[in-house]
Amino acid sequence: MSLPVFLWSCGELPARGTEVEFTGPEARHAVTVKRLAIGEQFLLIDGRGTGVIATVTAVDAKDKLRVSVGEGVDKRARKPRVTVVQAIPKSERAELAVDLATQGGADRIVPWQAERCIAKWGGKAEKAVAKWRNQALAAAKQSRRFSVPEVTELATSAEVAELIRGGDGVAVLLHEEASVPFASLNYRAAAEVVLVIGPEGGLSPDEVARFTEAGAQAVRLGPEVLRTASAALVALSALGVLTDRW
């Protein structure tokens, strides 16, 4: 069974051969939920692709461990880098969308207030973004990722258009009315892929026009119309096959 994963949030990972104190919310989870005991091992990651194997040497409190730091481990950065622009789903599916995109390997997640979003964050944006970031961390640990996807602040359509225009690669709009197959584009040569996922009500004509003018391509992912919460995972899985990400 794979080792459990916890995030080290105190700067650079500790060096091999040292013994350090591991505290805070992540340590509390290790003690009270995972119930790690003396002699057990886990992966301590920096959230950017690198980790170390840690062995518990003492449990000092409900949120404090002493650990001995062993060998370092890392996972190669997957190419191309993928940014998921996710229209805000309805509340019960919002965190599911982040969870699935993280499991699928998204490098960055941009919450987007699309025209047809049922959910409106308004003054709750800061709190909502924090929830998305917590969900991304939880999903990264669950899927044994060494990197935690960046979750940005809430973006407007104008900001998404600028993201597309300033990108270094391929940007696609998953659009049920598109005729171009998702698999027909050359993703392998791109440094970055931007996936724009519309809301439950779909992309508006104005959004399609704005984003295609900025350089995006409207594509059809497959014969079925996917829920907004699962579309990123399906697209990321397809990219895994079409590029060197898998």
Side-chain angles (χ1 to χ4, degrees), residues 70-81:
E71 64 181 304
V73 288
D74 57 39
K75 291 187 178 180
R76 67 179 179 87
R78 290 183 280 194
K79 297 180 179 181
R81 176 179 166 85

Side-chain angles (χ1 to χ4, degrees), residues 15-183:
R16 181 177 183 177
T18 59
E19 186 167 302
V20 297
E21 191 174 79
F22 181 38
T23 62
E26 288 287 276
R28 176 179 289 274
H29 187 76
V31 174
T32 62
V33 178
K34 291 297 186 180
R35 300 184 182 280
L36 293 183
I38 294 173
E40 291 189 286
Q41 292 184 322
F42 62 94
L43 282 172
L44 200 55
I45 64 168
D46 62 3
R48 301 184 298 274
T50 303
V52 293
I53 296 176
T55 303
V56 179
T57 58
V59 179
D60 297 329
K62 289 185 177 180
D63 62 351
K64 187 182 297 184
L65 294 169
R66 295 287 300 178
V67 300
S68 174
V69 181
E71 64 181 304
V73 288
D74 57 39
K75 291 187 178 180
R76 67 179 179 87
R78 290 183 280 194
K79 297 180 179 181
R81 176 179 166 85
V82 179
T83 292
V84 173
V85 177
Q86 176 66 61
I88 304 169
K90 290 183 287 190
S91 58
E92 66 270 20
R93 294 199 178 100
E95 292 181 35
L96 174 62
V98 177
D99 185 297
L100 294 178
T102 301
Q103 289 185 53
D107 298 290
R108 178 170 55 164
I109 301 172
V110 179
W112 167 42
Q113 188 71 68
E115 287 183 30
R116 295 176 177 173
C117 283
I118 295 172
K120 306 293 182 184
W121 280 1
K124 301 177 181 178
E126 184 176 348
K127 183 178 180 180
V129 167
K131 284 185 177 180
W132 280 35
R133 287 172 177 161
N134 288 336
Q135 187 60 52
L137 173 58
K141 289 160 53 180
Q142 183 65 37
S143 53
R144 306 299 193 268
R145 285 186 56 164
F146 283 23
S147 60
V148 180
E150 174 194 2
V151 177
T152 72
E153 301 298 329
L154 179 65
T156 63
S157 292
E159 289 168 333
V160 172
E162 284 304 309
L163 172 66
I164 293 168
R165 189 173 287 110
D168 183 19
V170 178
V172 297
L173 318 177
L174 303 188
H175 189 25
E176 62 184 280
E177 297 178 11
S179 58
V180 176
F182 181 86

